[in-house]
Amino acid sequence: MKASNNRMMQAALGAWCLLVMGTACKKDPAKQPDDLVIIVPKKTPVGEALDPAVNRMIGPQGGTVSSPDNTFRIIVPAGAVSSDTYFGVQTITNTNVAGKGRAFRLTPHGKQFAKPVTLEYVYTAFKDSLTFPISAGLSYQDAAGVWQMPGGGIVDTVTKTVKIQTSHFSDWALMERVSLNPVSASLGEGTKQTVKALLYNAVPNPCHCLDDLLQPLPPRGNPYPVGEPVPLPAKYIKGWKLTGPGNLNNTTGNVVEYQAPATITNNRSATIQLELNGPAQGKYLLLSTISLIGDSWIEMSLHGGAPVIFPATPCVRQGDQYFLANPEDEGGGYFAIKWVGGLGTHGFDLKNKTTWHYNTTATGYVSMYMPNPDGELLPSAGGITITKLGNGRVEGTFSVEQASYNNFKAVTTAKGKFSAKLVNG
């Protein structure tokens, strides 16, 4: 009966559209206000593989299989399968328009399990881009290319994990239903940035109202499609606030404009905060971080997470050798790159000529890896590309396709860009 009611409701909504009203529910449709939002589910391409799949045979007794970096884990309970079955997880690009971090392709694709399997996503690497965990959850891409949020997931902000149970596999990704766009940005002196409060899907209850928007999605027979984002309805906007340098303009609606200061002496940041009208006591906040760029900086994305920008010391040149680092471990760890030569791309090597490394208190990442246990050490694919060199400055990008850690045996990705003063050593 419940599934039948859901199908009838979807038919009434028509052609994959979710009608959501941004004011209080009213039983008489003729009396509904004009504050009506249409969220049209969006079809996106399937993600592209970023590394080989990890496969493990699991039998009726149950077991687990994890991605190479342990970001994603499949927990198979006893009795989920009746015979030995290969379970696999592969890191792919995230094509969910509301997605956070990387996505994962799970196999056996389409198989129905006798007992629900638990999926666990650890978002520690990009926790700064997940600013409103109450609206977060795991989603999967259906056969039509639309991302669906099943509801019923659990977000633990202490362990930085998101869990959900499912009886089938597909491509899965983490997402936020409500967020500011952009979540982070880097600006130079005197520049501007528009920040929007957006909604990516909603709860289609019988009166199509948004009263459940700021609460975790409940489980139900049919999932909640993800669509083209729409402005967050005005009823949820309580007030905007800026912490840090710069100015915030037009703070009465769901869109604001940030103005960076005319002079930036050092790399600094500003935080834009939107407080929402929530269903209970406490603060409901959406955040956007603006990094203010000085004259020397490095921007880096690790594990496919949101880019982080931090100061750089002047790049030191000794003959045709160059060395660039960050001061006092700013940016969460010690960063360093070096290369030999001028403009163009310089591939990583094992001769200590072109290298990248990033050391945190917990983990060290390097531009070399070991594809097989106890096998040969290889330089990472990618390299350092110099796009500008001269007049006292150097600029470029870097891409590390196999940034290894855990004694070269685990790999992830790192990429970024830099701009710094150039001095002679």
Side-chain angles (χ1 to χ4, degrees), residues 12 19 40 72 77 129 182 192 210 225 250-251 267 307 314 326 333 342 370 377 389 397 408:
L19 298 182
V40 180
F72 197 96
S129 65
K192 297 179 180 180
L210 286 172
N250 305 322
T251 58
N267 290 55
N326 61 327
M370 192 177 293
L377 194 62
L389 185 64
T397 63
F408 309 112

Side-chain angles (χ1 to χ4, degrees), residues 253-283:
N254 47 36
V255 179
V256 295
E257 182 183 75
Y258 172 78
Q259 172 81 54
T263 302
I264 303 173
T265 55
N266 294 301
N267 290 55
R268 303 178 64 187
S269 65
T271 300
I272 299 171
Q273 171 184 298
L274 172 60
E275 184 173 359
L276 305 178
N277 291 311
Q281 289 185 346
K283 286 197 172 184

Side-chain angles (χ1 to χ4, degrees), residues 347-405:
F348 296 116
D349 57 47
L350 302 179
K351 299 178 181 180
N352 205 31
K353 290 185 177 181
T354 302
T355 62
W356 166 93
H357 75 256
Y358 179 67
N359 292 336
T360 69
T361 55
T363 309
Y365 303 88
V366 294
S367 55
M368 57 188 75
Y369 72 109
M370 192 177 293
N372 299 305
D374 303 319
E376 182 182 5
L377 194 62
L378 300 176
S380 304
I384 299 169
T385 300
I386 306 304
T387 57
K388 179 179 180 180
L389 185 64
N391 298 321
R393 294 200 65 81
V394 59
E395 295 181 358
T397 63
F398 59 91
S399 176
V400 191
E401 299 301 321
Q402 299 94 8
S404 73
Y405 58 100

Side-chain angles (χ1 to χ4, degrees), residues 55-119:
N55 295 290
R56 182 184 175 191
M57 182 80 77
I58 297 177
Q61 75 279 4
T64 64
V65 59
S66 301
S67 62
D69 60 357
N70 293 316
T71 298
F72 197 96
R73 186 164 65 135
I74 303 170
I75 305 170
V76 183
V81 292
S82 58
S83 60
D84 288 347
T85 303
Y86 272 110
F87 285 78
V89 55
Q90 183 177 35
T91 308
I92 62 173
T93 54
N94 192 344
T95 64
N96 187 330
V97 292
K100 303 292 182 180
R102 295 171 296 170
F104 295 89
R105 180 160 295 145
L106 311 184
T107 55
H109 197 286
K111 181 179 177 63
Q112 297 291 318
F113 304 115
K115 291 184 179 180
V117 172
T118 298
L119 309 181

Side-chain angles (χ1 to χ4, degrees), residues 73-312:
R73 186 164 65 135
I74 303 170
I75 305 170
V76 183
V81 292
S82 58
S83 60
D84 288 347
T85 303
Y86 272 110
F87 285 78
V89 55
Q90 183 177 35
T91 308
I92 62 173
T93 54
N94 192 344
T95 64
N96 187 330
V97 292
K100 303 292 182 180
R102 295 171 296 170
F104 295 89
R105 180 160 295 145
L106 311 184
T107 55
H109 197 286
K111 181 179 177 63
Q112 297 291 318
F113 304 115
K115 291 184 179 180
V117 172
T118 298
L119 309 181
E120 181 182 74
Y121 198 126
V122 182
Y123 64 89
T124 306
F126 50 93
K127 61 183 183 298
D128 293 337
S129 65
L130 197 71
T131 64
F132 196 50
I134 197 172
S135 77
L138 289 174
S139 58
Y140 68 89
Q141 192 173 30
D142 66 17
V146 176
W147 286 89
Q148 305 279 354
M149 200 171 184
I154 300 174
V155 180
D156 189 327
T157 57
V158 176
T159 61
K160 302 295 186 292
T161 57
V162 181
K163 295 181 180 180
I164 197 170
Q165 289 190 328
T166 182
S167 59
H168 75 283
F169 281 175
S170 181
D171 292 352
W172 286 78
L174 183 63
M175 61 167 284
E176 275 189 312
R177 301 166 53 221
V178 184
S179 68
L180 295 185
N181 185 34
V183 171
S184 62
S186 301
L187 298 182
E189 297 178 342
T191 55
K192 297 179 180 180
Q193 175 67 56
T194 298
V195 178
K196 303 177 181 180
L198 297 177
L199 170 65
Y200 292 86
N201 76 354
V203 181
N205 48 38
C207 62
H208 319 312
C209 62
L210 286 172
D211 288 350
D212 295 329
L213 178 62
L214 303 184
Q215 300 185 43
L217 280 177
R220 66 171 192 151
N222 293 319
Y224 308 89
V226 181
E228 291 284 1
V230 296
L232 186 65
K235 66 174 286 186
Y236 293 100
I237 307 297
K238 186 172 183 179
W240 295 86
K241 179 182 178 181
L242 173 66
T243 302
N247 294 292
L248 207 57
N249 304 316
N250 305 322
T251 58
T252 57
N254 47 36
V255 179
V256 295
E257 182 183 75
Y258 172 78
Q259 172 81 54
T263 302
I264 303 173
T265 55
N266 294 301
N267 290 55
R268 303 178 64 187
S269 65
T271 300
I272 299 171
Q273 171 184 298
L274 172 60
E275 184 173 359
L276 305 178
N277 291 311
Q281 289 185 346
K283 286 197 172 184
Y284 296 78
L285 303 176
L286 300 179
L287 303 174
S288 176
T289 301
I290 306 296
S291 298
L292 302 174
I293 302 172
D295 58 2
S296 294
W297 51 271
I298 300 163
E299 181 182 287
M300 182 176 68
S301 171
L302 191 64
H303 305 300
V308 176
I309 191 167
F310 45 90

